Amino acid sequence: MRNNLLIRFTAISALVIAITYAVVASISIREDFNIDPLLRSASVQENIDEVGLNLIVDELDVDRGVMALTATPQLSGNQGISTSNGAFLKQSISFSFDVFSGPTLLDVPTGQFLGAQSLGLRLNGSPNNYPFDEYRSKFYATVSSDFTEDGTTKLIIRDKTEAIPGYSGTSRYLAFQDESTNIDLINTDIAQGMGLIEWSFKRSTSTILAAFLLGGLMLIGAAVSSLMTISVLRGRRPPSINSLVWFAAFLFALFQVRNQLPGDPPNGIKFDLFIFYPVILLLIILIAINVELWNNRDDWDLENPNVAIGGKIKKPESYL
């Protein structure tokens, strides 16, 4: 009867886990980078004198707190000609970027090529809450051109980011003055040659699932190790060198499991404090208990085995 209940419980648990995994996997497959419609549809029209920037988020370095961004100029009409890697200038143009690393001012004269710019933006956030950590980054840009008397020219910004491995994110246009989403203020900024873009990121569903699976593996291993030790303490199983080898192997395997967490989170995060470090400490204690139990076995002498009679250890009569 007990075995039947165990089989049913195992089957139901396996079914629930399989269904949960299928649902999470389907969500992860459909997950995509969500771009503001204004940023997605923006483009430089060939028959109009316009200046634009195509932005692509390349990488998130959460350890350094830096987001790698590529900004590619796009020109049309009398402003210049767009090329595959940048643009050829028909007018002198100046770009100004608020960035953590990379050029902050580009003053390019007429008749020059201007290629894509590799920029680094400050990434606000902390990996301490991995895998539920979130990050934000902002990009300010302005442009001026000799094509107009006062240098004012429209700046069209387009976000062409497709995906960032391990993350899901969104981008949106903000007003330069008060960082609101007021469309009238945003259009005024565009006409005056200014732009402010904000990105928000969080771990992808697949990354969260992998972290849960690896964390669950650690906890299940700790629970199994505890049950094995309790069984030995209660006398249901004898202490053996095989169990000690298993404990030691699992202890060292835990470090490899920790290194397999997607996104390579730094040491000391909450995941470590509440899962990894406690499991390590528990295994060390269990190993010490099993070593003591194994060391105190009365049947260690295989050449002179003890005989248990009436619950007491008694040597064979030939040795008395």
Side-chain angles (χ1 to χ4, degrees):
M1 181 67 180
R2 185 176 180 180
N3 290 335
N4 291 335
L5 292 175
L6 181 61
I7 292 174
R8 291 179 182 177
F9 175 78
T10 303
I12 294 174
S13 299
L15 181 61
V16 171
I17 293 174
I19 294 175
T20 303
Y21 179 82
V23 172
V24 174
S26 62
I27 294 175
S28 179
I29 291 174
R30 293 195 301 268
E31 202 169 35
D32 197 5
F33 194 84
N34 187 16
I35 300 176
D36 188 318
L38 186 60
L39 288 170
R40 184 184 296 275
S41 60
S43 62
V44 174
Q45 302 182 28
E46 296 182 0
N47 299 327
I48 302 178
D49 308 322
E50 292 182 329
V51 179
L53 282 174
N54 287 344
L55 305 179
I56 298 178
V57 178
D58 299 315
E59 183 183 6
L60 301 182
D61 189 343
V62 298
D63 292 337
R64 296 177 54 230
V66 176
M67 184 186 85
L69 178 73
T70 299
T72 306
Q74 297 289 289
L75 306 177
S76 63
N78 291 320
Q79 298 282 15
I81 302 173
S82 297
T83 63
S84 35
N85 297 307
F88 176 78
L89 278 64
K90 295 181 180 179
Q91 305 290 335
S92 179
I93 294 178
S94 295
F95 284 100
S96 179
F97 306 133
D98 176 31
V99 295
F100 175 72
S101 62
T104 58
L105 179 62
L106 294 173
D107 193 357
V108 187
T110 305
Q112 299 290 325
F113 282 99
L114 178 60
Q117 303 296 310
S118 297
L119 309 174
L121 307 182
R122 175 59 67 190
L123 189 64
N124 299 312
S126 170
N128 192 44
N129 291 325
Y130 177 92
F132 301 106
D133 44 337
E134 297 182 357
Y135 304 91
R136 291 182 181 273
S137 186
K138 294 178 181 179
F139 175 67
Y140 297 84
T142 63
V143 66
S144 61
S145 172
D146 288 347
F147 182 68
T148 58
E149 294 182 359
D150 59 357
T152 302
T153 186
K154 181 188 293 186
L155 176 60
I156 300 173
I157 299 179
R158 182 180 184 183
D159 188 356
K160 299 188 68 175
T161 305
E162 295 182 357
I164 303 174
Y167 295 90
S168 62
T170 60
S171 64
R172 59 176 182 167
Y173 236 123
L174 296 178
F176 208 91
Q177 183 176 0
D178 58 2
E179 298 188 2
S180 68
T181 55
N182 187 300
I183 189 64
D184 293 330
L185 293 178
I186 293 174
N187 287 330
T188 300
D189 290 342
I190 294 175
Q192 293 178 352
M194 299 184 296
L196 170 56
I197 314 299
E198 182 186 55
W199 289 271
S200 300
F201 304 97
K202 61 181 180 179
R203 302 284 177 173
S204 64
T205 305
S206 58
T207 298
I208 297 176
L209 176 60
F212 268 89
L213 290 176
L214 295 177
L217 176 62
M218 296 180 184
L219 295 176
I220 291 174
V224 171
S225 301
S226 300
L227 292 175
M228 290 174 59
T229 302
I230 292 173
S231 181
V232 173
L233 285 172
R234 298 180 65 179
R236 294 182 177 179
R237 292 290 185 273
S240 66
I241 192 66
N242 292 332
S243 61
L244 288 174
V245 171
W246 189 89
F247 283 132
F250 182 64
L251 176 62
F252 287 103
L254 279 177
F255 292 92
Q256 183 63 29
V257 173
R258 171 60 176 81
N259 291 334
Q260 293 303 314
L261 287 174
D264 193 21
N267 294 323
I269 58 177
K270 291 182 179 179
F271 182 94
D272 295 329
L273 296 178
F274 295 108
I275 297 180
F276 182 59
Y277 295 157
V279 170
I280 292 292
L281 179 60
L282 177 62
L283 279 177
I284 293 175
I285 295 174
L286 294 179
I287 289 175
I289 293 174
N290 280 270
V291 167
E292 183 65 19
L293 292 174
W294 178 76
N295 189 53
N296 292 331
R297 283 186 61 166
D298 292 318
D299 60 345
W300 64 271
D301 191 351
L302 298 179
E303 295 182 356
N304 304 296
N306 296 330
V307 179
I309 300 178
K312 297 181 179 180
I313 301 299
K314 182 178 180 181
K315 287 187 174 295
E317 295 179 358
S318 58
Y319 295 101
L320 295 178

